[in-house]
Amino acid sequence: MQARLWLLLAAQLAALHGSLALVQTPASLMVQTNQTVMLSCKINTSPSNTRIYWLRLRQALSTSSHYEFLAYWESTKKTVHSKEVDKEKLTVLGNSPQNVLKLQSVKPADSGVYFCMIIGMPNLIFGTGTQLSVVDVLPTSPQPTQKTSPKKKVCRSPNPVTRKRLSCAPLITGLLVAGVLILLVSLGVAIHLRCLQMRARLRLLKHLRLYILENFSRLDY
């Protein structure tokens, strides 16, 4: 009962954000179908007895994105799975500060971004994430081709008569304007993706609250 009360309080106070307190390796991974995958999560700042949860984000960030709870590790029960997870396929090994998610016989449907998470006070702290791609055939590396070095353009000094007519200023100005536009577009895309990620994490927090409240209502009966 005390553990559930603590979890409810933590969920009510939680403000979702990413943190380097949880470092995941590798950052990305591509494997063939039916391979075994090991994803690692290490806690850098929290107490060593912190429970680590594993989540998955299947699709690219959008307004309908949501996190799927997969499992967590407990010293008495070992791996505690979600109801929707195949227990024979997924295992959590070890406890904090080092935690490993083991996936066996992976399929393309297992592709997605895998996150580890801890419940802090007052934040839900997410790991850096691991992008897992499962394919039937690994892409082959293209054969290196011999590149021909382009001829360097030589800027010849104009003669005194035409020197006043020629200037590099318009070219430099154009390059600067193009660079500023690219930076603005990149910033806009980054802000949009961050907003989508925050919406997905807020939906996770809402589902967590509903799950806890349902458990309390069952205990009352």
Side-chain angles (χ1 to χ4, degrees), residues 118-164:
I118 60 176
I119 299 179
M121 294 294 286
N123 300 319
L124 295 183
I125 303 176
F126 286 78
T128 50
T130 295
Q131 174 72 56
L132 175 64
S133 300
V134 183
V135 295
D136 293 327
V137 179
L138 290 174
T140 56
S141 302
Q143 294 294 328
T145 56
Q146 189 174 6
K147 295 183 179 180
T148 57
S149 57
K151 295 182 179 179
K152 295 182 179 180
K153 294 183 179 180
V154 180
C155 185
R156 296 180 179 178
S157 301
N159 57 51
V161 177
T162 59
R163 183 175 300 170
K164 296 181 180 180

Side-chain angles (χ1 to χ4, degrees), residues 29 31 37 39 103 106 110-114 130-134:
L29 183 64
V31 298
V37 175
L39 308 180
L103 301 170
V106 292
D110 297 316
S111 299
V113 184
Y114 287 75
T130 295
Q131 174 72 56
L132 175 64
S133 300
V134 183

